[in-house]
Each structure stands twice: as C-alpha cells, then as structure tokens.
Amino acid sequence: MKFLCGGLVFTALAACQAPVIQADYLIENGQVFAGDNTPAEAFIVAIKDDKIIYVGAPRKVETAAVIDAQGHYVLPGFIDPHTHSIADLLSADSTRRQNQNYQFQGVTTVFNGNDGFGDPDIEAQAAAALDGGIGTNTAFFVGHGALRKSVMGGDGRAPTDAELTEMQSRVAQGMTDGALGLSSGLFYAPGSFSDTEEVIELAKVAAAFGGVYDSHIRDESTYNVGLLASIDEVIEIGTKANIPVNIAHIKALGVDVWGESAAIIQKVEAAQQEGINVTADQYPWRASGTRISNALIPRWVKAGTVEDYLARLSDPEQIDVIRAETAENLRKRGGAEAVLVTRGKPEWQNKTLGAIASERGENPVETALYIARNGDASIASFNMDAGDILNFMSQDWVMTSSDGSTGHPRKYASYPKKYRDYVIAQNVMPVETFFYRSSGMVADTFGLCERGYLKPGYKADIAIISPDDFAPAADFQNPALLSKGVTHLFVNGKPVIENSKANADLPGDVVRRCRGAVGE
C-alpha cells in the first residue's frame, strides 16, 4: 500500500520522519534478493541515473515512477560468463543489438570472446558496440585461438620465439584495455595445435594484469588426451601461470566419460585445497552445441587454410582414415540419432544426422562428410548424462551460463530452464543460490566492480521476475522463442523491459575488468 506525506510517494507511515530520497525509479512491495546467496527481504529499491541509491526498509522516496513488484522477485540482472553474442551486438540491425533473447532471460551483462575466439583488439570491439548502442552490457576476453590465427594463420605447429612474443604483446594490450582475461578453445583448431607451455606463457601475461584464464578444455570426452587429463592441464596452467582458472561449460561429453563428474570434482577440490582458484560455468541442457566439422571431423584435417581442409576431405589417399576417425567420433557422441542439425541447408534443418542419411540413402559417416564439404551445419548433440549434470550443478564453485549459439534453445532459455527444471522442480539449490551463481558470483570471479549485487552505489542492472511465470518457451524444434516471466529489466538504470514488453533503448555499456590488476 502507498501513503502520501507532503505530496511524496513512500511506502510506510513511519517514513514521514526520514530524509527524503530523490530517485528516478522506486521499486516497492517485491521480494528483494541482494545477489549474495541470502534469502529475500521486504525491501524497496531506489534508482537514480545509472546507480542504485538505496536498498532497504521502506523510506520516503520522491519519484515520478513507481513499480509495484507485489508478488515478484527483485534481483540483480544476471551476468552470463559464456556467450557468443558479439555478432548480434555489432549487427547493423538495431533490433539484434537489443539482445532481447538475453534480456527476456533476466540477463543484463554478457561475456564475449569465449572458447579462444575473442578478437584481441578490445578497443575496436568496444568502440563498435558503443557507437551503435547495445541493449545489454558486454565484456570481452582475449582469445588464444584468435591470437594464433592473427599471428600464425592456421598452422599446426608451435610458434617461433618471435611469434610467441607478438602474441604476448597482444595479450598485454588487450588486458590494458580492460579484457577479463585469456580464453582458450584447446579443442578447436588452431588452439588445438598448441602445447600446454605455449598457453602457460600467454596466461602469465593475463595473470600479471589480474585476469582470469577461461578454457574450453582440450578434450571433454575421449577425442585426444581425454577428459581427466584435460582437467589436469587446465589446473597445471593455473598453477604455473599463477592465474585463476575457469572451466568453460563443464561437462562429461559422450558415453565414454559418463560418470566421470565425480573424479573431476575431486581433482578441482584438491586443487582448491592447494590454493589454486578453480571455478566452472555450466548450461542446463543435455545437448551441447557446435558444428558437424567440430564434432565429427578429425582435428588434423582442419590444419592450414579452408582450401587445405576441403582438399583433405576429398583426397582419395586420406579419405579412408578420415572416415574411420569420423565414425569413432560419431560413436562417442552417441550415434547418428543423437546429432540434431539446428542450422544449415533447409533440407537438413531439425533432422537428425541419421534421418538425413536415410533420406540420402547412405551411412551417417558419408552424410557427415557431405555436410562438412557443403557449407557445414550447426548441431545439437545429445551427449550428456543427467547424473553428471546434477553432480556438477550441485557444486558451490559452478556458475550459470548459456554458451548461447544460434539454433540451440540455450541462447534463448538457459536461465529460466535452470530455474524451472532444477531450482523449482528438482530443488537442486534454493532460489537465492541460483540468483547468486548467476550474478554476484560471476562478478566476483571475473573482477567486475559495481555489478552483480543490489547494493547502493552499484550499477542499476535489475531484473523483476514473476516466480510463477519465469519459464522457457524455446525448445529444440523452436529454438528462438523469447522466455517468459521477466516483467521489468533495467540496464544501467534504464528500463529495457517494462510490463513484459521490450523497448528500443540501447543503454548497455562495455564492462571492463576492474579488480586484481597490477598495483591493485
């Protein structure tokens, strides 16, 4: 209920004696979560310009805009530590730049440059984002694979001393410009051609600036060194480079490694006891998302240029070896019916590899090679065990992420899916823990100041959600449906969703690492 005192809007009669808070927006009557893993409080939240200026018991507030959050949760906007949204944010289409698929999940900040793909030129990306405007905040990694490609092309070899020095210089520049740290995609070419020592030397540079090493590990299955050895490698890099490490989209991928989550957890916790800062992020889906070429084609085939790659795929002297290795990779993924094409030629769309092969009258390996030669395709690969997903999700060092990619519903629905399936239905964690691992924990892990919590002086990145309605709409047949239940969303103090409808405002900013740098 609202009261009037001297013509001012406020929320309790006793507040007539308190100093007046001058605000642009007042959020009242909601259950307010600070983002720090504590239960909700019956607080009000006041916003002025781009900041939160008050969170606490009802006080007298002078404002022209009051949001009645009765029956709703008020919480920090989620921070997604693993996305592939840069193409949307830098699009010429202003609607794409809004990033609505994330806004309607309650996400106000997205990271980019993950999996080693991050353009080392942080300033150029930041300028492009801000010049056109963006609907969510974004932050950037320097990508190891992008570094390698810019300095060495696609060569499958070790760098020369001069090339390594050049890559180190570019990491230093990116960190100076505010990058979160160094990301790697050691499963993907050309990052897969590096050895551990190369990555350590580059991670040392990021460490000197207080950055984080974020890694798509070398093998999440049994493709090369194996899952457990890849966990050992990321821990070794953290130890020798003296840098915090984050295991990207942690999983046990494929039938050969189902059940290995317990051994991974033991390795991580042993490293933590030795003083190594190890975290992970996770998306709440059984299916991963990548491309046919990344999932099934042997990595050595992709060395060099695109022309080299395509030539190998058609080389009669190499094709039998390629077929055999592709068949083994498909087995690890669970077979042709576990691979769903989500984006590619219309005749492939929303069909399993097995179904496409049947239509073509050939075995699935030949179909995979055909697709790889003819434009490739994005896939959802149903390769994870439910027990491993729950085991990882239960760990207090695992954050929420989406790894959003076009054609996979995780780009539109990861946060509401985790809330609905794992928080509400399965009670894996209390709601305040879900909010913390989706906001404050991410900000703390990656050194973001004034983000991730509802605190005075912090940026006003705020979500208001209906606890009964917050749910995914996207699925694998319809992967681009906006989620439901976010009624209001503020980015830097500006509403981008009001009464469940998006507006065209683009108030997002480029968020730069602010803690842990040299001298701090």
Side-chain angles (χ1 to χ4, degrees):
M1 179 181 293
K2 302 186 184 75
F3 296 83
L4 294 179
C5 180
L8 305 179
V9 177
F10 67 105
T11 55
L13 192 59
C16 289
Q17 307 303 316
V20 176
I21 297 171
Q22 302 289 332
D24 296 327
Y25 295 92
L26 167 66
I27 303 169
E28 63 178 6
N29 297 326
Q31 299 181 59
V32 177
F33 293 85
D36 59 0
N37 207 14
T38 59
E41 300 275 4
F43 285 162
I44 65 169
V45 179
I47 301 168
K48 179 72 173 176
D49 298 324
D50 65 344
K51 297 286 184 70
I52 298 167
I53 59 171
Y54 180 77
V55 180
R59 286 267 304 276
K60 186 189 302 184
V61 177
E62 184 176 48
T63 181
V66 178
I67 297 172
D68 186 348
Q70 181 71 43
H72 286 65
Y73 291 159
V74 182
L75 53 128
F78 298 143
I79 303 172
D80 191 334
H82 195 116
T83 83
H84 298 283
S85 59
I86 191 62
D88 292 326
L89 295 178
L90 300 187
S91 172
D93 182 346
S94 62
T95 300
R96 284 183 65 187
R97 296 178 80 105
Q98 288 176 245
N99 225 8
Q100 285 189 27
N101 55 292
Y102 281 106
Q103 290 178 344
F104 278 92
Q105 295 182 67
V107 175
T108 52
T109 300
V110 293
F111 291 2
N112 274 292
N114 303 78
D115 293 339
F117 299 136
D119 186 340
D121 193 341
I122 302 301
E123 278 304 308
Q125 292 179 95
L130 296 177
D131 285 351
I134 51 179
T136 61
N137 304 307
T138 191
F140 299 109
F141 288 101
V142 174
H144 169 239
L147 279 171
R148 244 186 170 260
K149 190 170 184 179
S150 66
V151 174
M152 302 172 58
D155 291 357
R157 60 174 175 84
T160 65
D161 289 346
E163 288 168 339
L164 181 61
T165 297
E166 176 62 21
M167 287 192 285
Q168 289 172 318
S169 175
R170 296 188 188 189
V171 174
Q173 185 60 57
M175 296 303 298
T176 298
D177 294 338
L180 300 165
L182 177 73
S183 80
S184 71
L186 300 185
F187 178 71
Y188 301 117
S192 58
F193 304 136
S194 66
D195 62 17
T196 306
E197 289 304 315
E198 174 188 324
V199 182
I200 289 170
E201 291 307 309
L202 296 174
K204 285 179 179 177
V205 179
F209 288 83
V212 174
Y213 173 62
D214 182 86
S215 184
H216 182 307
I217 58 177
R218 196 173 295 273
D219 192 354
E220 296 174 326
S221 186
T222 55
Y223 280 97
N224 45 75
V225 300
L227 174 56
L228 297 182
S230 295
I231 296 294
D232 290 336
E233 182 184 38
V234 77
I235 292 170
E236 179 185 358
I237 293 167
T239 302
K240 292 184 176 178
N242 192 26
I243 190 170
V245 297
N246 183 68
I247 302 166
H249 43 58
I250 194 168
K251 64 173 75 71
L253 186 156
V255 295
D256 291 349
V257 294
W258 285 357
E260 289 191 1
S261 57
I264 293 170
I265 291 165
Q266 288 178 352
K267 285 179 178 290
V268 169
E269 293 182 346
Q272 291 170 338
Q273 290 171 7
E274 293 295 323
I276 304 165
N277 188 340
V278 185
T279 57
D281 63 79
Q282 179 194 36
Y283 53 79
W285 304 87
R286 281 194 58 243
S288 63
T290 186
R291 302 182 72 79
I292 283 281
S293 61
N294 289 330
L296 302 181
I297 305 303
R299 195 64 59 237
W300 59 268
V301 179
K302 303 189 77 171
T305 65
V306 173
E307 290 75 19
D308 295 334
Y309 163 63
L310 292 175
R312 292 187 190 102
L313 286 177
S314 300
D315 184 350
E317 294 185 0
Q318 301 186 74
I319 194 62
D320 285 345
V321 175
I322 294 172
R323 284 191 183 106
E325 294 188 24
T326 300
E328 174 61 7
N329 291 339
L330 182 58
R331 181 197 66 79
K332 293 171 183 174
R333 292 260 167 180
E337 296 305 319
V339 175
L340 175 72
V341 173
T342 58
R343 190 183 188 194
K345 293 184 184 297
E347 60 267 29
W348 306 337
Q349 198 83 9
N350 290 326
K351 297 176 183 177
T352 66
L353 183 61
I356 299 169
S358 179
E359 290 176 359
R360 289 178 54 80
E362 62 190 9
N363 70 63
V365 170
E366 293 302 323
T367 301
L369 294 172
Y370 170 78
I371 291 172
R373 294 187 193 107
N374 290 275
D376 210 355
S378 297
I379 61 170
S381 174
F382 292 82
N383 53 48
M384 282 173 262
D385 175 72
D388 286 322
I389 293 172
L390 286 172
N391 208 6
F392 287 131
M393 193 179 290
S394 301
Q395 307 310 308
D396 61 11
W397 41 269
V398 175
M399 296 167 278
T400 314
S401 67
S402 71
D403 192 17
S405 55
T406 300
H408 193 302
R410 64 190 183 184
K411 183 175 179 178
Y412 280 75
S414 287
Y415 288 80
K417 178 178 176 63
K418 182 172 179 179
Y419 170 81
R420 187 59 57 192
D421 290 359
Y422 294 99
V423 177
I424 301 301
Q426 299 187 48
N427 196 27
V428 175
M429 65 188 71
V431 66
E432 62 265 23
T433 299
F434 166 57
F435 294 154
Y436 166 64
R437 294 188 192 171
S438 305
S439 59
M441 181 180 175
V442 186
D444 293 345
T445 298
F446 293 94
L448 305 185
C449 294
E450 299 182 353
R451 307 275 178 184
Y453 296 94
L454 297 189
K455 293 182 180 181
Y458 276 54
K459 297 291 185 179
D461 295 340
I462 302 171
I464 303 176
I465 68 173
S466 167
D468 295 331
D469 299 324
F470 190 48
D475 57 24
F476 287 98
Q477 285 67 46
N478 300 282
L481 298 178
L482 294 171
S483 291
K484 302 174 182 179
V486 175
T487 59
H488 294 79
L489 191 75
F490 287 84
V491 175
N492 297 313
K494 303 297 183 183
V496 295
I497 296 176
E498 300 175 271
N499 298 314
S500 302
K501 295 182 179 180
N503 60 43
D505 289 350
L506 300 171
D509 201 356
V510 172
V511 180
R512 304 176 196 257
R513 183 202 72 263
C514 70
R515 283 203 299 274
V518 173
E520 294 184 352

